[in-house]
Structure formats: structure tokens, C-alpha cells
Amino acid sequence: QVQLAESGGGLVQAGTSLKLSCAVSGRTFSSGVAGWFRQVAGKEREFVGAIMLSRGNTQYADSVKGRFIISRDNAKNTVYLQMNSLKPEDSAVYYCAADYGGLTRIRIPTMSREYDYWGQGTQVTVSS
């Protein structure tokens, strides 16, 4: 059974950085995609970015492009979200998700419904 566990959230000031981790168990990084989403109460879950676990290709939402970086450590089965130049509007619960469907060999899914496995989420609050 695949399980994901996020960590690293917290309260930070605008302009600073924060790094989230997502530990994946039950599956290796030989295939699939790991994605990061965020959600504010009352709003839909928003795609932040994702990484192909085998090839390392990444894709980002326009709102975070140039500020956020997704990486993975295959030896640790962990995916990271490095968030730089944080803004108050980045405040949300951040979720890690994984999709191991066949299409992940050729494309990165950006819709939350395409991901089968989810972590419990970690709160990120950016103060102005």
C-alpha cells in the first residue's frame, strides 16, 4: 500500500523560504509522478507542481514558476518542494500526491482527480 507523509510546514514571513518533504512508502521511484497541491478553506485544491519520479521532469503552475522547485531523492524515496520568495497568498494546506498510471510515462497530470494517493497535508502560513 502506498503511503505519503508531508512534513516541513510552518509559519514564515513573506520573502523567506521553506522546504516541504514528502516521504513515499510502498512504492519505488522507478515510475509514476509525485505532485504538490495546495488548498485554502472554501476553495478548490490547486496544482502547484509535479515531478516524474524516474526521469525528473518537472512542471509548475504559473503562480509559483521561478519561485518553487520540486526535486526528489530516489535513495530516500522522498520528494521535496523548495519554496522561495514566499508570499502571503502562498498560505494554504499543502498536499503531496502520487499517480502511478501508465500515462505518467509521457505526461505530468495536473488535475487532482488524476492522483490516486494523498498525504495528510501540512499547513504553510506566510505572514506579511
Side-chain angles (χ1 to χ4, degrees):
Q1 183 178 355
V2 179
Q3 293 184 321
L4 293 83
E6 305 95 335
S7 61
L11 172 63
V12 296
Q13 289 190 330
T16 63
S17 300
L18 195 64
K19 188 173 185 177
L20 305 183
S21 300
C22 174
V24 182
S25 60
R27 191 85 180 234
T28 67
F29 278 15
S30 60
S31 64
V33 168
W36 287 96
F37 289 78
R38 63 188 182 187
Q39 188 169 25
V40 175
K43 294 189 176 182
E44 290 189 357
R45 197 163 291 188
E46 175 191 19
F47 175 76
V48 173
I51 185 168
M52 285 184 169
L53 295 174
S54 60
R55 296 164 56 184
N57 296 32
T58 55
Q59 184 172 338
Y60 300 94
D62 289 343
S63 58
V64 306
K65 199 173 294 182
R67 298 189 298 124
F68 289 12
I69 300 171
I70 297 175
S71 61
R72 84 255 194 250
D73 185 329
N74 289 14
K76 295 182 178 180
N77 261 32
T78 301
V79 177
Y80 303 98
L81 177 64
Q82 176 68 47
M83 303 184 292
N84 302 317
S85 303
L86 282 162
K87 306 174 182 179
E89 51 264 42
D90 293 319
S91 298
V93 177
Y94 281 72
Y95 296 91
C96 177
D99 176 14
Y100 293 101
L103 288 177
T104 59
R105 289 176 295 179
I106 58 174
R107 63 176 287 270
I108 289 177
T110 60
M111 305 294 290
S112 60
R113 63 174 179 267
E114 298 179 276
Y115 289 80
D116 299 315
Y117 305 97
W118 291 85
Q120 79 286 355
T122 185
Q123 177 71 48
V124 172
T125 303
V126 184
S127 63
S128 58

